[in-house]
Amino acid sequence: QQPVQSPQAVILREGEDAVINCSSSKALYSVHWYRQKHGEAPVFLMILLKGGEQKGHEKISASFNEKKQQSSLYLTASQLSYSGTYFCGTGGSNYKLTFGKGTLLTVNP
Amino acid sequence: NAGVTQTPKFRILKIGQSMTLQCTQDMNHNYMYWYRQDPGMGLKLIYYSVGAGITDKGEVPNGYNVSRSTTEDFPLRLELAAPSQTSVYFCASTYARDSGGQETQYFGPGTRLLVL
């Protein structure tokens, strides 16, 4: 089942913060976050694993609530380069990911 | 390393035609995936492979076939193309360890397919 992302879209001014949420109805083993710019491939941001392990870029932070089956991506002091569509992918132990529909983030000067 | 490469970048097909989308990775990854992306719908898994000779269906396999004869290559075959297969197709790969550790999926640049 496809995870639900919220909000669907958000518009920021440079320097503002944003939170993108990802919620699943299934028990999760991992949550993966990707950013995709228009016409390009998704690019890895972060993995959050059951048990607390995280792998990702230093400037990106996220949380994973295993009991609630939810994850949040925190974007602070946004830059123009943060614009794009953010996808969460939820995974079990079989290395297959189910992606949400995405959150379109627009950062304006 | 070139990473994950896909060919062609863009293709127009007529209804009923067939084609193969090529995907190659040079990272010695064991897992490979094919996704399709429709506007506003996220990425849907078509097929995946856990190693040479082993493939399995994803969420939306109908109308597609795959093979994995080598670690590097994972072609996707479209038989009897239909307008519903108009989409952007992404190939991805990852290295999955037996210990269960999760690693990032690396995506290719995509193939845009238009079926008319």
Side-chain angles (χ1 to χ4, degrees), chain A residues 13 17 28 46 53 61 81 84 93:
Chain A
R13 289 200 177 275
D17 302 337
L28 299 178
M46 177 164 282
E53 184 180 358
S61 65
S81 61
S93 58

Side-chain angles (χ1 to χ4, degrees), chain A residues 2 8 36 85 87 100-103, chain B residues 37-44:
Chain A
Q2 193 171 32
Q8 290 184 326
Q36 184 180 32
T85 301
F87 292 99
K101 293 184 178 181
T103 295
Chain B
Q37 185 175 36
D38 301 316
M41 296 303 294
L43 295 150
K44 299 284 190 181

Side-chain angles (χ1 to χ4, degrees), chain A residues 8-96:
Chain A
Q8 290 184 326
V10 58
I11 299 174
L12 300 175
R13 289 200 177 275
E14 222 174 344
E16 291 182 337
D17 302 337
V19 179
I20 300 173
N21 302 301
C22 176
S23 178
S24 175
S25 59
K26 295 171 58 176
L28 299 178
Y29 186 88
S30 66
V31 179
H32 300 225
W33 286 96
Y34 288 81
R35 177 172 60 214
Q36 184 180 32
K37 294 188 179 286
H38 184 69
E40 299 180 5
V43 173
F44 165 74
L45 294 176
M46 177 164 282
I47 294 176
L48 302 104
L49 303 177
K50 188 176 179 180
E53 184 180 358
Q54 295 187 4
K55 305 176 189 179
H57 295 286
E58 294 178 358
K59 295 186 178 181
I60 300 287
S61 65
S63 65
F64 180 19
N65 187 323
E66 296 171 31
K67 287 186 178 179
K68 291 186 176 180
Q69 294 150 202
Q70 294 174 346
S71 177
S72 295
L73 185 70
Y74 304 98
L75 302 168
T76 58
S78 60
Q79 304 172 17
L80 295 177
S81 61
Y82 287 11
S83 292
T85 301
Y86 289 76
F87 292 99
C88 70
T90 55
S93 58
N94 58 3
Y95 300 98
K96 289 197 303 182

Side-chain angles (χ1 to χ4, degrees), chain B residues 41-98:
Chain B
M41 296 303 294
L43 295 150
K44 299 284 190 181
L45 182 64
I46 305 171
Y47 271 96
Y48 70 105
S49 169
V50 304
I54 306 170
T55 63
D56 203 354
K57 296 177 181 179
E59 296 176 70
V60 289
N62 291 343
Y64 307 95
N65 278 300
V66 293
S67 60
R68 183 106 180 264
S69 56
T70 66
T71 299
E72 295 78 18
D73 300 307
F74 189 39
L76 178 71
R77 177 81 176 164
L78 277 71
E79 304 282 2
L80 299 174
S84 61
Q85 293 179 305
T86 293
S87 189
V88 180
Y89 292 84
F90 287 102
C91 178
S93 71
T94 191
Y95 184 75
R97 291 174 277 143
D98 291 340

